[in-house]
């Protein structure tokens, strides 16, 4: 394909947070609760963000808008109607896709009708059956949220809206992967697993949070989940992002998920005031790229290149000699808080992913 054709299909992966970290739940493991801005994204910021996002994509590209939070539905239906109107105004022939990531508890018939009318794909957070889900996904009063989540899923299903699942894997569900698989497969055509593995520092020492998964346990979870998934009837099993990504990589294709791509830096995060950050997990002064009200988004994302390249240049020597390097590329940089024998930071989930890669390779070899 000629360079001019590649330019025409140029894409970015942007994430916008229309109400910042504001949320109607108080999930204990949430990595974003440290920020609680009161303001909703203004019409001025929204217009600049939509216009600039579309413009920096190639003329034939599919432009995906991902709305995240906090809880983005707190912005209200009027906000999303304005966003869609602006997208149509500035599309200039490009295909527009909207994806909203929500806890699902606010979705009623009116929200579902809006999503159906405008073709939204909805990602809903669900950690499994009640005991697993409600262990950490509670409101400020301590009440569990599963029943409200399932009502939201049902409203979307009734309206014909596609709903994908985002499942945080934590100490309350990591020990029952097959039960979790059976629960999720009945709700979602696609499931993405998000390991809770965060570190806190207290009394001068760092340790994993109470909700976090032990890396070895997460590895066992992934292996057993893979077995449940691969043994299921192909027409009945959901797409599971990590397994699909590994399959693509084993066939020489890109992973398709940022965690296992060789570089980062193409997926920025836009906050309510128009500030743009290198990654939605790194909303801090060090990773601030600028503001869409003052500079064009294409310029800001170009400024993100050094951050993206550092994913490879910052690898530990142990990673460079590892047979799994071309499958994980060191994993997500935000999880590099374990230490290799060389003293260089390494992904805390390294052992889990090595266990999964080996398991899949062994099963594939035996099947052949």
């Amino acid at each position: 394909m000629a360079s001019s054709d590649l330019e025409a299909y140029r894409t970015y992966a942007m994430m916008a947070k229309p109400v910042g970290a504001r949320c109607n739940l108080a999930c204990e493991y949430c990595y974003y609760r440290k920020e609680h801005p009161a303001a909703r994204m203004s019409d001025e910021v929204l217009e600049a963000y939509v216009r600039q996002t579309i413009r920096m994509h190639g003329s034939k590209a599919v432009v995906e808008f991902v709305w995240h939070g906090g809880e983005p539905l707190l912005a209200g239906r009027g906000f999303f109607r304005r966003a869609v109107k602006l997208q149509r105004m500035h599309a200039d022939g490009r295909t527009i896709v909207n994806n909203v990531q929500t806890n699902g508890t606010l979705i009623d018939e009116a929200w579902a009708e809006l999503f159906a009318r405008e073709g939204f794909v909805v990602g809903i957070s669900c950690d499994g059956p009640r005991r697993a889900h409600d262990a950490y996904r509670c409101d400020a009063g301590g009440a569990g949220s599963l029943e409200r989540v399932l009502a939201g899923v049902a409203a979307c299903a009734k309206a014909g809206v596609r709903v994908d699942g985002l499942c945080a894997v934590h100490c309350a569900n990591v020990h029952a992967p097959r039960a979790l698989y059976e629960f999720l497969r009945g709700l979602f055509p696609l499931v993405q697993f998000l390991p809770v593995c965060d570190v806190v520092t207290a009394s001068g020492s760092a340790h994993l949070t109470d909700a976090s998964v032990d890396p070895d346990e997460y590895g066992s979870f992934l292996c057993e989940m893979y077995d449940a998934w691969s043994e299921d009837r192909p027409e009945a099993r959901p797409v599971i992002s990590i397994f699909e990504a590994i399959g693509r990589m084993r066939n020489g294709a890109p992973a398709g998920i940022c965690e296992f791509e060789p570089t980062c830096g193409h997926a920025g995060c836009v906050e309510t005031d128009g500030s743009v950050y290198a990654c939605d997990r790194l909303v801090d002064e060090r990773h601030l790229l600028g503001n869409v009200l003052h500079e064009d988004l294409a310029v800001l994302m170009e400024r993100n290149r050094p951050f993206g390249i550092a994913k490879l240049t910052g690898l530990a020597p142990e990673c460079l000699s590892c047979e799994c390097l071309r499958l994980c590329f060191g994993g997500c940089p935000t999880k590099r808080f374990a230490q290799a024998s060389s003293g260089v930071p390494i992904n805390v989930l390294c052992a889990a992913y090595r266990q999964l890669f080996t398991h899949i390779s062994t099963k594939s070899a035996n099947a052949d």
Side-chain angles (χ1 to χ4, degrees):
M1 186 180 290
S3 59
S4 59
D5 292 328
L6 290 173
E7 185 69 11
Y9 289 97
R10 181 184 68 251
T11 61
Y12 293 82
M14 299 302 301
M15 180 183 293
K17 302 194 173 182
V19 294
R22 194 149 56 90
C23 190
N24 62 318
L25 295 184
C27 303
E28 186 175 330
Y29 56 61
C30 181
Y31 65 89
Y32 198 56
R33 290 175 65 184
K34 61 183 181 298
E35 301 280 348
H36 289 279
R40 185 184 69 184
M41 182 178 285
S42 69
D43 288 350
E44 181 185 17
V45 171
L46 177 63
E47 192 280 333
Y49 168 61
V50 169
R51 171 172 47 81
Q52 293 175 29
T53 296
I54 293 173
R55 190 169 60 193
M56 75 177 178
H57 282 70
S59 60
K60 298 179 182 179
V62 175
V63 185
E64 183 177 17
F65 286 86
V66 178
W67 308 97
H68 211 281
E71 175 45 59
L73 301 195
L74 291 173
R77 288 186 292 276
F79 174 89
F80 289 98
R81 284 192 289 264
R82 283 192 294 277
V84 170
K85 183 178 180 180
L86 287 165
Q87 290 167 355
R88 289 173 178 153
M89 184 185 306
H90 295 291
D92 195 22
R94 298 172 181 84
T95 299
I96 307 293
V97 176
N98 282 284
N99 187 312
V100 62
Q101 305 293 322
T102 170
N103 61 43
T105 62
L106 300 178
I107 299 176
D108 56 14
E109 183 178 348
W111 273 111
E113 288 177 353
L114 171 63
F115 295 147
R117 184 170 62 253
E118 303 300 348
F120 275 56
V121 175
V122 179
I124 291 183
S125 296
C126 181
D127 294 354
R130 184 186 309 278
R131 190 170 183 178
H133 180 92
D134 287 352
Y136 294 106
R137 300 194 65 80
C138 301
D139 59 26
S145 61
L146 181 61
E147 290 303 319
R148 286 172 282 173
V149 171
L150 296 179
V153 172
C156 286
K158 183 177 179 181
V161 176
R162 171 169 174 148
V163 178
D164 295 331
L166 290 87
C167 178
V169 184
H170 45 71
C171 65
N173 61 10
V174 72
H175 299 295
R178 287 186 179 268
L180 183 61
Y181 177 78
E182 288 300 322
F183 184 85
L184 295 175
R185 75 189 285 277
L187 293 174
F188 306 113
L190 181 148
V191 177
Q192 180 180 1
F193 291 116
L194 306 172
V196 178
C197 200
D198 299 311
V199 69
V200 293
T201 302
S203 303
S205 62
H207 59 86
L208 292 176
T209 60
D210 291 342
S212 291
V213 291
D214 173 84
D216 290 331
E217 290 179 349
Y218 184 55
S220 297
F221 168 91
L222 289 174
C223 291
E224 192 167 348
M225 182 64 70
Y226 179 80
D227 290 346
W229 176 78
S230 61
E231 293 162 8
D232 200 359
R233 292 176 295 116
E235 68 274 13
R237 64 191 182 201
V239 171
I240 294 184
S241 298
I242 187 171
F243 302 153
E244 295 288 334
I246 293 172
R248 285 191 291 269
M249 290 186 292
R250 285 168 56 85
N251 290 322
I257 57 176
C258 63
E259 184 175 16
F260 295 149
E261 293 289 355
T263 60
C264 297
H266 67 286
C269 170
V270 183
E271 290 290 323
T272 57
D273 64 353
S275 296
V276 181
Y277 293 86
C279 171
D280 81 293
R281 289 230 169 210
L282 297 169
V283 179
D284 54 40
E285 193 64 30
R286 179 184 172 192
H287 295 94
L288 175 64
L289 301 174
N291 192 295
V292 296
L293 295 180
H294 307 136
E295 293 181 273
D296 193 82
L297 189 55
V299 174
L300 300 180
M301 290 307 295
E302 185 64 26
R303 195 173 291 159
N304 210 21
R305 275 185 190 274
F307 166 76
I309 295 171
K311 180 177 183 181
L312 277 181
T313 59
L315 286 171
E318 290 85 347
C319 292
L320 297 175
S321 60
C322 177
E323 68 275 14
C324 297
L325 176 62
R326 292 188 177 276
L327 290 176
C328 76
F329 295 101
C332 180
T334 66
K335 291 288 191 285
R336 291 182 186 173
F337 50 76
Q339 196 169 65
S341 57
S342 62
V344 178
I346 194 170
N347 198 299
V348 70
L349 295 173
C350 172
Y353 292 135
R354 285 174 61 89
Q355 187 177 345
L356 176 63
F357 298 150
T358 301
H359 182 73
I360 292 176
S361 294
T362 301
K363 291 207 69 168
S364 297
N366 290 340
D368 294 340

